[in-house]
Amino acid sequence: MKIEMICTGEEVLSGQIVDTNAAWFGDVLMQHGIEMQRRITVGDRLQDLIDVFVERSHHADIILVNGGLGPTSDDMSAEAMAKAKGEPLAENKAWREHMEGWYKKNNRPMHASNLKQAMLPQSAVMVHNPVGTACGFRVELNGAWLFFTPGVPREFKTMVNEQFLPFVHELFPQAQATKLIKLLTFGAGESALANELDSLGVPADITVGYRTSLPHVEIKLLARGEQAIAALHEFNQQVEQAIGRYVVSERFSTLAQEVHTLLTERDTTTTLSLAESCTGGMAASQLIDFPGSSQYLAQGIVAYNNAAKVALLGVNPSTLEQFGAVSLQCVSEMAEGARARSDTDFGLAISGIAGPDGGTEDKPVGTVALALASRAQTWSQVVKAPLKGRTQIRQVSCAVALDMLRRALLGENPIADYGFIERLN
């Protein structure tokens, strides 16, 4: 089975918007054990669309086409497909009636331009869109099925899950069995991880893939066929033995979601307060991306300047004067102050120099102090992020802080050695 994707739109082709649909789609296919063979982006030009539909239909079994189904003149996917097939557009009466009912129900006028969304290639099979006004459709050309979906992310994702994937499984019920294991790592670069794993003997029909998304590297172990699937468990154990010190999640694509889940799945509520300086609330934002975070997160304080650290967190002015804001002493008092003010089980604090200015010879840009305070003790460390970009330094800082908390929740030492992050003290 060969699956490809064609993404349409001048704004996507020119880079005016990031094609998150394509990234999401590729990841969903991998989760279902399906590998995408090729992805092409084409602009809103009729002949270019016709050409790519015809050309790729000679090579793929299924092609998902995303975008170009709206009511405006630059939405050309249906027209291009009709011309590629050498047939006219025809009104799909069922979808027209659906649109008329939708607009009436929502007390909105239906403009004449919306009728375009009911015009499909004559041989097309209409695909229902349960959350929008642009229906999808599928057409067979040169032995390939082209499956058209709207570009609106919510509509696209719903139709992929509810319409496209069932169609794929129906068309290819005997597709080769696959199994995928993902390991989220932190603290080592892609080349360092590859160097560790290259020495392992990879079983036949198992591939090792890497995806870097700062500050993490995700390792994918994909097994194709029953024999490879049977060998995958033992191989995964070998991988974890080799790089387990860098693995921060075996179930999620972000460290924040791993920490969030560790906190919410506990039998007794474990509460948390955050005190952030250089990260400006980034750590809190990562946690509250997930519903249920109010179960454990009491407060997040952004104490950016020294006066705020004193007033909001109770940092001793003499600590700041003697050691500075980026120090073990200051960040420990920040964590302890945040924890005490909300009477939480943990207080987590970050204070650093994110740049591009503010660094000194003793404390260059990228120097970050972190502390985790529990009801019994406080752990603190100062690290040097190996990156120069302000956003990158903040991302790494949040990851180190959240990993300290993750380790504490698992009963491990919160202070860890990382391959590419230098610990200063």
Side-chain angles (χ1 to χ4, degrees):
M1 176 177 58
K2 294 182 179 179
I3 291 185
E4 298 187 5
M5 182 180 191
I6 297 174
C7 308
T8 72
E10 293 295 336
E11 69 281 3
V12 177
L13 184 63
S14 64
Q16 296 176 49
I17 65 170
V18 177
D19 193 352
T20 55
N21 280 354
W24 177 86
F25 179 64
D27 187 57
V28 166
L29 287 183
M30 286 293 289
Q31 291 176 21
H32 284 260
I34 303 171
E35 296 179 87
M36 184 159 52
Q37 302 295 316
R38 183 173 299 199
R39 185 173 74 206
I40 296 173
T41 302
V42 62
D44 298 315
R45 292 179 291 276
L46 187 62
Q47 192 58 51
D48 288 349
L49 289 165
I50 296 170
D51 292 344
V52 76
F53 292 165
V54 173
E55 196 273 331
R56 295 318 307 163
S57 69
H58 288 288
H59 302 277
D61 296 310
I62 302 176
I63 303 170
L64 186 136
V65 183
N66 186 227
L69 301 183
T72 59
S73 60
D74 60 346
D75 292 309
M76 302 180 181
S77 290
E79 181 183 0
M81 189 65 246
K83 290 185 179 297
K85 285 276 291 183
E87 62 188 35
L89 291 168
E91 182 181 87
N92 186 285
K93 294 182 179 180
W95 190 252
R96 175 172 179 162
E97 292 174 359
H98 173 84
M99 284 196 298
E100 290 172 340
W102 187 91
Y103 279 100
K104 183 177 180 179
K105 178 182 177 181
N106 288 277
N107 296 314
R108 292 173 55 183
M110 179 173 162
H111 300 290
S113 60
N114 289 111
L115 293 174
K116 177 185 177 184
Q117 294 176 291
M119 301 298 292
L120 307 180
Q122 191 173 51
S123 63
V125 178
M126 190 266 285
V127 177
H128 182 66
N129 177 357
V131 292
T133 61
C135 70
F137 62 92
R138 52 184 169 88
V139 175
E140 192 171 14
L141 177 66
N142 297 321
W145 278 101
L146 286 86
F147 195 108
F148 289 75
T149 57
V152 178
R154 176 169 174 260
E155 298 177 28
F156 168 66
K157 293 177 181 179
T158 299
M159 292 181 70
V160 166
N161 285 321
E162 297 184 6
Q163 312 278 4
F164 179 76
L165 289 172
F167 173 71
V168 171
H169 292 308
E170 179 182 351
L171 202 62
F172 292 94
Q174 302 302 322
Q176 183 183 42
T178 60
K179 185 174 181 180
L180 176 68
I181 292 177
K182 295 182 180 181
L183 302 173
L184 185 70
T185 70
F186 172 66
E190 184 176 322
S191 59
L193 292 168
N195 186 60
E196 295 259 14
L197 298 184
D198 284 347
S199 61
L200 301 179
V202 182
D205 296 323
I206 292 179
T207 58
V208 181
Y210 303 85
R211 182 181 69 88
T212 300
S213 179
L214 193 76
H216 300 290
V217 176
E218 185 178 66
I219 297 175
K220 299 179 180 181
L221 310 178
L222 178 63
R224 302 177 183 87
E226 297 298 340
Q227 188 171 352
I229 291 173
L232 184 59
H233 175 70
E234 182 178 349
F235 179 63
N236 181 46
Q237 289 183 320
Q238 295 176 20
V239 170
E240 292 200 30
Q241 186 173 1
I243 61 163
R245 62 193 181 279
Y246 300 120
V247 176
V248 295
S249 181
E250 299 179 25
R251 49 185 175 172
F252 301 118
S253 60
T254 68
L255 178 52
Q257 188 171 8
E258 178 69 27
V259 170
H260 168 84
T261 305
L262 286 173
L263 286 164
T264 54
E265 67 185 4
R266 296 168 77 86
D267 292 334
T268 58
T269 301
T270 300
T271 52
L272 172 68
S273 294
L274 296 169
E276 300 184 60
S277 184
C278 66
T279 49
M282 182 182 285
S285 178
Q286 290 179 359
L287 291 173
I288 64 174
D289 274 346
F290 306 104
S293 51
S294 59
Q295 176 180 326
Y296 59 82
L297 184 58
Q299 66 175 6
I301 297 174
V302 178
Y304 206 65
N305 64 21
N306 287 350
K309 292 178 176 65
V310 173
L312 300 176
L313 298 168
V315 175
N316 194 318
S318 64
T319 299
L320 292 165
E321 183 177 351
Q322 183 177 357
F323 301 104
V326 185
S327 64
L328 295 174
Q329 294 80 4
C330 175
V331 78
S332 295
E333 292 184 19
M334 289 172 62
E336 292 163 359
R339 194 206 66 75
R341 276 161 168 70
S342 292
D343 191 28
T344 52
D345 296 304
F346 288 102
L348 187 60
I350 310 168
S351 182
I353 306 167
D357 303 315
T360 65
E361 185 176 348
D362 292 336
K363 297 178 181 179
V365 170
T367 304
V368 184
L370 308 105
L372 176 67
S374 71
R375 294 185 183 276
Q377 68 182 106
T378 299
W379 302 267
S380 59
Q381 61 179 327
V382 177
V383 301
K384 173 66 170 62
L387 306 162
K388 299 300 182 184
R390 182 177 177 83
T391 299
Q392 295 173 328
I393 291 170
R394 295 170 65 226
Q395 289 173 332
V396 169
S397 301
C398 286
V400 175
L402 290 174
D403 195 42
M404 290 176 69
L405 178 57
R406 180 189 71 87
R407 290 171 178 273
L409 292 171
L410 295 174
E412 301 173 3
N413 186 352
I415 307 299
D417 290 320
Y418 302 106
F420 70 84
I421 301 171
E422 181 183 2
R423 181 145 53 88
L424 303 179
N425 52 36

